[in-house]
Amino acid sequence: ALVFALAPLVIEAVLLTALYVPLAMTGEGDAFGALDEGQRQALGYLAVRLFFSGWGFSLLLFSGFCTLMGLLIVRSRLVPRVIGALMMAAGASYFLNSLSAIVSPTLNAALAPGILVPSFIGEFSLALWLTIGRVNTTERVLA
């Protein structure tokens, strides 16, 4: 679960450099000065598209984190099992959303708002439970 949590962070950090390309192109007199306006716009658009494609890949890995956290919650019984099931549904939701974004962006555009509802519910319920809930210490944890 830790690998699935850290790998998307590393990917997102590397992808942030792609968003620096359009900013670097605003300065005249450097290497980008040799490109005309249309070429600079195309390169800037490509850099932004690269960022969003990579973001989808990082969410694909994050779906593994959500699924494993849900499985660990269900097995540990420290947190209500329904929250673990919701986190597994969140992982499946992220997986389907990311896979559709990578394979078919038009399908993703049709699914995008609704497919992410389970991920919002799962992550919000876990955050709410961790904020105001109590851990069940009366049961034997490692059954």
Side-chain angles (χ1 to χ4, degrees), residues 61-138:
L61 294 174
F62 184 69
S63 71
F65 170 74
C66 288
T67 305
L68 287 174
M69 286 301 295
L71 182 65
L72 291 172
I73 288 170
V74 167
R75 290 188 61 187
S76 73
R77 299 185 198 158
L78 294 171
V79 177
R81 289 182 173 182
V82 68
I83 294 176
L86 288 172
M87 283 300 292
M88 287 191 282
S93 173
Y94 275 132
F95 181 78
L96 290 175
N97 179 54
S98 300
L99 191 63
S100 67
I102 293 168
V103 174
S104 174
T106 56
L107 175 65
N108 184 280
L111 296 176
I115 195 81
L116 291 175
V117 170
S119 61
F120 172 75
I121 293 171
E123 289 186 78
F124 183 74
S125 65
L126 179 61
L128 190 64
W129 175 260
L130 291 174
T131 303
I132 61 174
R134 288 192 340 198
V135 173
N136 184 8
T137 57
T138 59

